[in-house]
Amino acid sequence: MVSAAAAEKSSPSASAITVDMSRGYHIVKINGYSFTKQIPTGKSLDSSRFTLCGHRWRILYFPNGDRSDSADYISLFLLLDNEDVSKEVKAQSIFRLVDTVTTDEKHHSLTTLSVNTFGSKNRSWGITKFIKREDLHRSEHLVDDSFTIRCDIAVISEIPVEAPKFVSVPSSDLNQHLGDLLTTAKGADVVFEVAGETFAAHRWLLASRSSVFDAQLFGSIKESGTADVIRVDDMEARVFAALLRFAYTDSLLPETITQEEEEAAGMWQHLLVAADRYSFERLKLVCQEKLCKHIDVSTVGTILALSEQHRCDGLKKACFHFLSSPTNLMAATATDSFQHLSRSCPSVMIQLIAMSSRSHSA
């Protein structure tokens, strides 16, 4: 078989549906026709796979019909041969005899033809009685024991047209408004004193964000003095400021965390402790994610101790992964932070020894 292909695309539209129609045709030449007459009924000769209208196809040629009642006829079928045939393809197609294999750009109208659905349940469409063999013998199309078939294909897809939008809804700016509320302290009804600095805030918001703040400000453990100033010990002012910002906006200001590597690691550690203290689980996860990027020989001991003391499983696993390298483990054990780890978290040291033993035995 000799094949040739050409394609064209047009996009008519109607009402609220845009109909996208890709059109094209494929040429198949049957050489040595007289020899194909020996092929049994129901057996086909298949064209090479070709691409047309964005899909893969084959043309099936049955010299003696595809079934017993068409044994005196030539049958032709178009087969969808995509890698994934689960996606349905709607197409119109027609076969006709032509005189040459040259690419005639003229497209024949397919508008009167039915639309066939190709897919996993029905991969092919065809004409059982395309032409009677004796009629082909008498026709002008059979020349030098050869004839040529053209298959026109039009693939149709419907694209729903979105209704015009007259109203555009902006993204939520609630966090910005709540951030402004923190900055202006308008309506604030509680003040915190941290490391010599004071922070005005709103009881209702903090209570809604943290079970610890809820109990402290409204619950049975409400501290004496909550009507005036609440003193927060063992915390830096900048850490508490970042905690409040997260409570109001669920985010942190970029300038909250310094760009210096060592100082940034320290800030994330302090903020993780604060997040755990006031039960801000999402902030705690944010800090763990950031600290995973700061694990090195000099910091792994401190970060591992922190992860153990504040129940940070993901961060702990990251530290163990780093220490699974014998080189990293040997270098880390010589640091002061690791000596502190051995004193403050003996259970972690036992796990590390077990891990090291498994590594050596392997």
Side-chain angles (χ1 to χ4, degrees), residues 52-168:
L52 208 60
C53 306
H55 299 280
R56 307 297 293 275
W57 310 89
R58 290 184 192 271
I59 292 175
L60 312 184
Y61 161 59
F62 294 83
N64 292 288
D66 67 309
R67 59 193 188 201
S68 58
D69 63 350
S70 61
D72 296 330
Y73 290 81
I74 290 172
S75 301
L76 294 174
F77 281 78
L78 177 65
L79 174 73
L80 179 67
D81 202 22
N82 286 338
E83 298 295 337
D84 180 9
V85 295
S86 62
K87 297 179 181 179
E88 293 186 342
V89 176
K90 296 184 183 295
Q92 296 170 302
S93 52
I94 189 172
F95 292 105
R96 57 172 57 85
L97 292 168
V98 293
D99 295 330
T100 66
V101 296
T102 56
T103 53
D104 177 10
E105 294 300 328
K106 180 180 179 182
H107 286 283
H108 299 271
S109 175
L110 302 178
T111 55
T112 59
L113 300 177
S114 60
V115 177
N116 300 293
T117 301
F118 296 81
S120 56
K121 294 182 180 179
N122 184 24
R123 294 180 57 194
S124 64
W125 166 89
I127 303 177
T128 296
K129 297 180 178 180
F130 175 66
I131 187 171
K132 206 166 187 177
R133 284 198 305 279
E134 62 183 40
D135 292 338
L136 177 63
H137 298 163
R138 293 194 297 264
S139 76
E140 60 185 12
H141 297 292
L142 185 61
V143 179
D144 296 330
D145 203 29
S146 300
F147 68 96
T148 304
I149 301 164
R150 167 172 163 162
C151 178
D152 284 79
I153 302 173
V155 173
I156 302 166
S157 59
E158 296 180 351
I159 306 173
V161 177
E162 293 186 7
K165 294 185 68 173
F166 300 103
V167 178
S168 179

Side-chain angles (χ1 to χ4, degrees), residues 3 21 41 77-78 87 96 108 115 129 131-132 151 192 210 212 276 293 324-325 329 362:
S3 299
M21 177 182 289
T41 298
F77 281 78
L78 177 65
K87 297 179 181 179
R96 57 172 57 85
H108 299 271
V115 177
K129 297 180 178 180
I131 187 171
K132 206 166 187 177
C151 178
F192 294 89
S210 161
V212 175
D276 188 44
K293 301 174 183 178
S324 64
S325 164
L329 179 60

Side-chain angles (χ1 to χ4, degrees), residues 9-310:
K9 187 170 182 178
S10 58
S11 300
S13 63
S15 188
I17 297 293
T18 297
V19 179
D20 186 57
M21 177 182 289
S22 299
R23 294 195 50 172
Y25 61 85
H26 190 76
I27 301 290
V28 175
K29 184 175 182 181
I30 310 298
N31 293 313
Y33 161 70
S34 58
F35 296 103
T36 67
K37 291 190 292 182
Q38 308 305 316
I39 296 175
T41 298
K43 298 292 184 181
S44 67
L45 295 174
D46 302 347
S47 74
S48 58
R49 189 162 69 165
F50 60 92
T51 300
L52 208 60
C53 306
H55 299 280
R56 307 297 293 275
W57 310 89
R58 290 184 192 271
I59 292 175
L60 312 184
Y61 161 59
F62 294 83
N64 292 288
D66 67 309
R67 59 193 188 201
S68 58
D69 63 350
S70 61
D72 296 330
Y73 290 81
I74 290 172
S75 301
L76 294 174
F77 281 78
L78 177 65
L79 174 73
L80 179 67
D81 202 22
N82 286 338
E83 298 295 337
D84 180 9
V85 295
S86 62
K87 297 179 181 179
E88 293 186 342
V89 176
K90 296 184 183 295
Q92 296 170 302
S93 52
I94 189 172
F95 292 105
R96 57 172 57 85
L97 292 168
V98 293
D99 295 330
T100 66
V101 296
T102 56
T103 53
D104 177 10
E105 294 300 328
K106 180 180 179 182
H107 286 283
H108 299 271
S109 175
L110 302 178
T111 55
T112 59
L113 300 177
S114 60
V115 177
N116 300 293
T117 301
F118 296 81
S120 56
K121 294 182 180 179
N122 184 24
R123 294 180 57 194
S124 64
W125 166 89
I127 303 177
T128 296
K129 297 180 178 180
F130 175 66
I131 187 171
K132 206 166 187 177
R133 284 198 305 279
E134 62 183 40
D135 292 338
L136 177 63
H137 298 163
R138 293 194 297 264
S139 76
E140 60 185 12
H141 297 292
L142 185 61
V143 179
D144 296 330
D145 203 29
S146 300
F147 68 96
T148 304
I149 301 164
R150 167 172 163 162
C151 178
D152 284 79
I153 302 173
V155 173
I156 302 166
S157 59
E158 296 180 351
I159 306 173
V161 177
E162 293 186 7
K165 294 185 68 173
F166 300 103
V167 178
S168 179
V169 180
S171 58
S172 173
D173 57 356
L174 176 62
N175 60 339
Q176 180 181 338
H177 287 292
L178 291 177
D180 292 342
L181 194 64
L182 174 64
T183 302
T184 61
K186 185 177 181 179
D189 55 1
V190 64
V191 175
F192 294 89
E193 182 182 340
V194 187
E197 295 187 30
T198 56
F199 299 89
H202 303 78
R203 296 169 184 270
W204 60 269
L205 190 145
L206 296 179
S208 69
R209 294 283 280 149
S210 161
S211 58
V212 175
F213 274 128
D214 184 30
Q216 184 182 46
L217 298 172
F218 295 106
S220 57
I221 64 170
K222 179 178 178 181
E223 298 181 5
S224 60
T226 52
D228 300 311
V229 177
I230 298 177
R231 185 174 176 179
V232 178
D233 297 320
D234 302 322
M235 188 177 298
E236 294 181 17
R238 62 171 184 153
V239 174
F240 191 77
L243 181 76
L244 282 183
R245 172 62 56 176
F246 191 88
Y248 277 73
T249 67
D250 208 42
S251 62
L252 298 168
L253 291 174
E255 57 267 25
T256 300
I257 308 300
T258 178
Q259 298 302 308
E260 292 294 331
E261 188 76 12
E262 185 175 347
E263 291 185 19
M267 179 61 177
W268 287 120
Q269 292 176 43
H270 291 308
L271 196 52
L272 186 149
V273 174
D276 188 44
R277 177 174 172 177
Y278 287 98
S279 193
F280 281 90
E281 291 303 318
R282 185 170 180 274
L283 178 57
K284 190 175 171 181
L285 290 172
V286 169
C287 294
Q288 289 184 67
E289 182 186 41
K290 296 294 184 181
L291 283 172
C292 283
K293 301 174 183 178
H294 290 279
I295 296 173
D296 57 30
V297 169
S298 64
T299 63
V300 66
T302 302
I303 293 176
L304 185 52
L306 195 70
S307 67
E308 179 72 5
Q309 294 162 358
H310 296 279

